Amino acid sequence: MFSDGALSIGELAERAGVTVKTVRFYSDRGLLPEASRSSGGHRRYGPEALERLRLIRSLRTLDLPVPEVGRVLDHGEGLPDALEKAIDGQLSRLGSQLTALRWREAALQLVRECPAEERAERLRLVGAVSAPPSTAPMARFWRGALPVRLSPRLVSSILEYAVPQPPTDPTPAQVLSFAQLHAIATAPCPSTDPRRPAGNRTDVVHRPDVLYDGLFDAYVLAAPHLKANRTPARGQALDCFVAAHAESRGLRDGPVFRRRLSGLLAQAADPLVERYWELTGEVSGSPDPTLGAAHEWLRSALHADVAAAAAVEPGDPMSR
């Protein structure tokens, strides 16, 4: 030690239990300022450098990146707040890394456990999905299918239900379902594709917000019927569903409109979209029915209602 209490780079390294190379590394990056240089050009460090070096080592042991360590040290008296922010950031990064590892593990199990003849297809599906997986393709899919004039409020609400968040600890089956969702969302979809949900076309629906606000209400009313596994039938949920379609078009509910709407919905029904909603439920693992399941229940209820009305002939006493 020098007479003024300064430490040489070797003494500092020895007391901190690190190598000289480590001390030089942190010095060169500005984390460990030198107090001075000897006449021979050797680095000298003040007594406070030992505690600072120990703090650097502790932060690096937590795997905080060097730039983050520098930001923590630069805050001086604000160290607790800066440290908390750095730790939160590191926890977020680790969470993302762990999620990616769990998804890769589940994907490997998925490929390993499937029949040999299915492996190529499953590899293609899971290979197209990042780890951790991104929901951006599904969000783009629905943004492209929804009416241009739909309010941001409703777009956000629909995406919340239509774009499932990937589980942090997925099963192989959930990885497969998510990969299949990704494949549906990224498949070519021209503007004339029938996948566009019925009633979304701007030349038919003049007030899309009225439609979707009403549909949400109808889906809420239909949910208990789906949970109870009841057969689709007329009732408050169906009336709300039809009213939403009628009001959005500036029309009135009635037998003629119901027949027309039932035909439009039947024409627009697409098994691929129904499959999308099934996969959404599998990925989320939620016991609540999806919007797609509620829509299909209401569409079936409308079809049954129209069929029942058509079965009543004008001369039938029941029609009077």
Side-chain angles (χ1 to χ4, degrees):
M1 180 184 293
F2 296 95
S3 58
D4 58 359
L7 300 171
S8 69
I9 190 171
E11 290 170 330
L12 179 59
E14 182 178 0
R15 292 192 183 191
V18 299
T19 65
V20 170
K21 183 178 180 180
T22 297
V23 176
R24 186 177 292 112
F25 174 83
Y26 292 134
S27 292
D28 291 344
R29 278 154 183 77
L31 300 183
L32 195 62
E34 305 166 16
S36 62
R37 290 261 180 162
S38 68
S39 58
H42 298 293
R43 306 178 196 227
R44 298 172 64 183
Y45 299 89
E48 73 285 350
L50 179 58
E51 187 59 33
R52 187 178 178 91
L53 180 55
R54 286 171 176 164
L55 177 57
I56 292 171
R57 286 192 65 201
S58 296
L59 294 173
R60 289 292 292 144
T61 299
L62 295 175
D63 205 28
L64 264 68
V66 171
E68 195 71 36
V69 172
R71 282 190 285 272
V72 171
L73 295 173
D74 289 343
H75 275 75
E77 294 181 358
L79 177 60
D81 291 338
L83 179 58
E84 183 176 352
K85 183 177 180 180
I87 289 175
D88 287 344
Q90 183 65 357
L91 286 173
S92 178
R93 285 188 290 271
L94 285 175
S96 180
Q97 292 170 12
L98 288 172
T99 298
L101 288 173
R102 293 188 187 107
W103 272 80
R104 290 192 183 107
E105 180 183 31
L108 288 169
Q109 292 173 347
L110 174 69
V111 174
R112 182 186 64 184
E113 295 168 3
C114 75
E117 61 273 15
E118 296 180 11
R119 281 183 179 161
E121 175 61 15
R122 290 196 177 181
L123 278 172
R124 184 188 66 80
L125 284 170
V126 300
V129 179
S130 61
S134 170
T135 58
M138 280 74 92
R140 285 194 297 269
F141 174 83
W142 284 103
R143 287 183 185 279
L146 293 171
V148 176
R149 293 182 291 112
L150 193 64
S151 68
R153 169 183 63 86
L154 282 167
V155 171
S156 177
S157 295
I158 293 167
L159 292 182
E160 182 179 349
Y161 287 97
V163 180
Q165 294 303 308
T168 56
D169 191 8
T171 64
Q174 285 176 312
V175 168
L176 178 59
S177 295
F178 192 92
Q180 291 171 330
L181 273 178
H182 182 276
I184 292 174
T186 55
C189 184
S191 59
T192 56
D193 196 298
R195 252 174 280 171
R196 286 178 170 270
N200 283 359
R201 301 178 183 87
T202 54
D203 61 330
V204 176
V205 177
H206 306 296
R207 301 164 67 194
D209 275 28
V210 171
L211 172 63
Y212 281 93
D213 274 326
L215 289 180
F216 269 117
D217 291 340
Y219 296 155
V220 170
L221 292 170
H225 298 289
L226 274 86
K227 288 184 177 181
N229 201 29
R230 298 190 185 110
T231 301
R234 65 180 63 178
Q236 185 181 7
L238 177 59
D239 290 343
C240 183
F241 180 73
V242 175
H245 281 282
E247 291 174 18
S248 69
R249 293 167 168 81
L251 302 173
R252 297 179 61 184
D253 185 7
V256 174
F257 178 77
R258 291 199 174 202
R259 286 197 299 272
R260 178 189 171 200
L261 179 62
S262 181
L264 286 173
L265 295 180
Q267 183 180 9
D270 179 24
L272 196 59
V273 171
E274 294 177 17
R275 179 57 178 155
Y276 180 100
W277 285 110
E278 290 174 3
L279 293 169
T280 296
E282 293 170 9
V283 170
S284 68
S286 172
D288 295 328
T290 64
L291 295 187
H295 179 86
E296 184 58 26
W297 190 93
L298 289 163
R299 188 177 73 85
S300 298
L302 176 61
H303 176 76
D305 182 51
V306 170
V312 180
E313 297 296 331
D316 193 314
M318 292 181 63
S319 66
R320 296 175 184 174

